[in-house]
Amino acid sequence: MLRLNKILLYFLALGVAFYAVFAYSFFPLGSLVHPLMKLNFQAHAGGVYLHVFAAALALLLGPLQFSSAWRQQNPRWHRWSGRVYLILGVLVGGLSGLYIAQFAFGGWIARSGFSLLALAWLFSGLMAYRAIRRADIFNHRRWMLRNFSLTFAAVTLRIDLGLFSAAGVTFEVFYPWLAWLCWLPNGMWAEWFISTKSNAPFKADAVAPRSM
Ligand code: HEM
């Protein structure tokens, strides 16, 4: 079952990352989003492109970082793709996400939702990096799980978008709340996953020699 979940997670993350890279490489800016968002995007093109490509890199690299088999076979690769994930993906994608959040479609509800997502993404990434710099694998894993649950907001946002549209709710009504719904449940799931007894790797005695 866990294997199936992992395959689904990889498939969804890669799917949204490829959509982002393909759509923003080959289509005019904003041609695949709501017309009012398109005007915003064109007014802040640099921030949108920086965000889309940097954040897509995080979504692309993130899932592999959680593969313990891959990590044990390729520790050097885990460290380097971890640095690219955190610095190019989360730092650049998060700061540009925070910037475009100030102009997000959907008023203060959407702007505050995306802004808090950006700040939580940046903070959890920083905490994960600081933990591994002091060889604290226990907290590194917990903060990376929290961080990737927020990266996965790009996937849950698009699933929610499909569900609300299929339910016939108008875009202008549900989109502002999507800026909260796309990450709050993910964050709560991460806290539940970390706290449940069955997840041995997150137990206190999982400290090992310096790795990153
Ligand atoms: C987790 C932190 C993230 C934050 C704070 C964030 C924030 C934002 C904001 C504010 C917008 C503009 C929305 C609007 O104007 O209404 C946006 C759009 C976008 N973001 Fe993110 N984002 C995040 C993660 C990601 C990730 C991981 C991807 C990976 C593919 C991504 C891809 C995109 C794309 C493609 C758009 C343009 C809209 C579209 O074509 O669907 N974002 N993001």
Side-chain angles (χ1 to χ4, degrees):
M1 189 56 187
L2 189 61
R3 198 170 161 68
L4 202 62
N5 288 348
K6 274 197 177 172
I7 292 168
L8 187 63
L9 181 131
Y10 285 172
F11 178 75
L12 290 170
L14 294 185
V16 171
F18 280 123
Y19 149 74
V21 171
F22 186 79
Y24 287 80
S25 304
F26 301 110
F27 289 81
L29 180 59
S31 51
L32 298 177
V33 295
H34 187 280
L36 291 172
M37 283 170 72
K38 183 175 181 178
L39 292 176
N40 268 339
F41 282 16
Q42 288 168 343
H44 306 97
V48 173
Y49 277 118
L50 197 59
H51 170 69
V52 168
F53 289 104
L57 191 60
L59 197 54
L60 216 55
L61 291 175
L64 211 51
Q65 295 300 99
F66 291 90
S67 158
S68 27
W70 177 268
R71 190 176 55 250
Q72 276 139 24
Q73 282 158 21
N74 312 280
R76 272 176 65 78
W77 171 272
H78 177 86
R79 286 197 290 274
W80 276 107
S81 76
R83 287 177 185 129
V84 174
Y85 171 91
L86 282 175
I87 297 164
L88 267 185
V90 176
L91 184 62
V92 176
L95 288 174
S96 51
L98 184 59
Y99 167 70
I100 61 175
Q102 307 323 305
F103 317 100
F105 175 77
W108 70 269
I109 297 173
R111 293 172 188 162
S112 54
F114 282 128
S115 299
L116 277 180
L117 168 60
L119 294 171
W121 203 33
L122 291 163
F123 177 72
S124 55
L126 175 66
M127 295 303 280
Y129 186 69
R130 289 180 57 186
I132 204 61
R133 293 299 296 167
R134 59 175 192 270
D136 178 356
I137 298 223
F138 168 59
N139 281 307
H140 172 68
R141 280 182 170 144
R142 292 155 74 95
W143 281 110
M144 279 318 298
L145 190 92
R146 290 178 177 123
N147 184 269
F148 189 70
S149 78
L150 300 176
T151 310
F152 207 69
V155 174
T156 39
L157 182 140
R158 288 161 181 87
I159 293 173
D160 295 345
L161 195 75
L163 292 175
F164 276 110
S165 309
V169 186
T170 51
F171 183 83
E172 287 78 3
V173 170
F174 72 72
Y175 186 77
W177 300 105
L178 224 51
W180 292 86
L181 274 177
C182 69
W183 61 279
L184 278 178
N186 298 22
M188 288 191 266
W189 176 84
E191 291 314 317
W192 166 82
F193 189 87
I194 288 170
S195 63
T196 50
K197 293 279 165 283
S198 64
N199 301 303
F202 298 102
K203 284 214 153 69
D205 57 8
V207 176
R210 185 176 189 287
S211 78
M212 191 169 182

